[in-house]
Amino acid sequence: GFDGKRGWTIDPWQGFSFPRRANRTELNVYEQQACFFTILLDYKEKEVEAAYMGMEEMDGMDVHVLKLMRKSGLEETWYLDAATFFAYKSQSQWVDFASPAPSEAYYDEYTEVDGLVLPFLVERVFFNRLWQTEVEEVLINPDVDMNLFDIPDCPAMQKLSFLTGEWEVNIEVRNRQDQMVFSEST
């Protein structure tokens, strides 16, 4: 789950069978995925810096090369087909077993949905892994229950749910001489 700022995951590959907060590297990937395969749409509103690096030839086609810097400080390189201006390839930091990993993504099978042209096939390569995403359907601005993105309690915490509510707590901190150094009630 990712609400645009905070994220969580259940990661059995790392031995987590319960929900845990995502680390910074994972949050960077969540931010990339939240852009639905392109950071270029509304990049200024996303506070992304962009620099045009010129033209190159790639896989027999001319491509425009863009360097993008996210507000997180992470840099990405995007290659746009010079004939269509559709993204052909991107290079960015990804995540593999909760650790940073360089990656390349290739975009294909563009389809128009409500005036937006989107890739319905994305192949991502990081280290020796290949991750392929095939999109079946895209809904633009559907009604979504935002609670869906909240981190669920793990089973052990669900057993303690009866403790949820308002509590009155008194905090006292004493030094070695048993003198009060801090006291607060909340």
Side-chain angles (χ1 to χ4, degrees):
F2 180 64
D3 66 5
K5 294 180 182 144
R6 295 173 26 150
W8 61 272
T9 184
I10 297 173
D11 191 352
W13 294 100
Q14 295 295 309
F16 293 99
S17 59
F18 53 88
R20 68 162 176 81
R21 290 276 172 216
N23 66 34
R24 184 67 230 160
T25 300
E26 291 166 321
L27 287 176
N28 289 330
V29 169
Y30 294 174
E31 289 172 10
Q32 289 178 39
Q33 290 177 327
C35 293
F36 196 69
F37 305 124
T38 182
I39 191 172
L40 300 173
L41 181 65
D42 299 329
Y43 74 96
K44 288 182 182 178
E45 288 81 7
K46 296 173 189 163
E47 300 178 42
V48 173
E49 295 178 29
Y52 180 67
M53 306 306 291
M55 295 276 287
E56 288 184 16
E57 184 179 321
M58 179 175 288
D59 298 333
M61 72 174 76
D62 291 330
V63 293
H64 295 283
V65 182
L66 301 173
K67 290 276 187 194
L68 303 174
M69 178 78 69
R70 291 180 180 265
K71 63 182 174 181
S72 67
L74 289 178
E75 185 177 281
E76 300 176 21
T77 305
W78 284 74
Y79 303 88
L80 309 180
D81 182 330
T84 63
F85 293 96
F86 293 162
Y88 173 69
K89 175 183 174 181
S90 66
Q91 294 173 309
S92 63
Q93 179 179 294
W94 203 245
V95 65
D96 190 28
F97 291 103
S99 298
S103 78
E104 295 181 340
Y106 296 87
Y107 306 89
D108 204 355
E109 296 185 17
Y110 281 88
T111 304
E112 185 175 336
V113 179
D114 289 346
L116 296 174
V117 180
L118 305 168
F120 272 53
L121 177 64
V122 179
E123 294 180 5
R124 184 168 302 277
V125 180
F126 49 103
F127 295 130
N128 62 349
R129 301 184 201 293
L130 173 63
W131 180 19
Q132 184 169 308
T133 302
E134 295 181 44
V135 177
E136 292 180 11
E137 180 181 21
V138 173
L139 302 175
I140 305 295
N141 297 323
D143 289 328
V144 175
D145 179 3
M146 295 310 287
N147 293 326
L148 178 70
F149 302 103
D150 293 342
I151 186 169
D153 289 334
C154 67
M157 292 306 291
Q158 289 174 358
K159 293 176 185 175
L160 300 174
S161 65
F162 67 93
L163 295 172
T164 303
E166 296 291 322
W167 287 76
E168 188 174 310
V169 178
N170 296 317
I171 302 169
E172 293 183 358
V173 178
R174 297 182 175 273
N175 65 14
R176 288 184 179 182
Q177 291 77 32
D178 199 32
Q179 295 170 329
M180 183 75 65
V181 293
F182 178 79
S183 177
E184 181 178 326
S185 294
T186 59

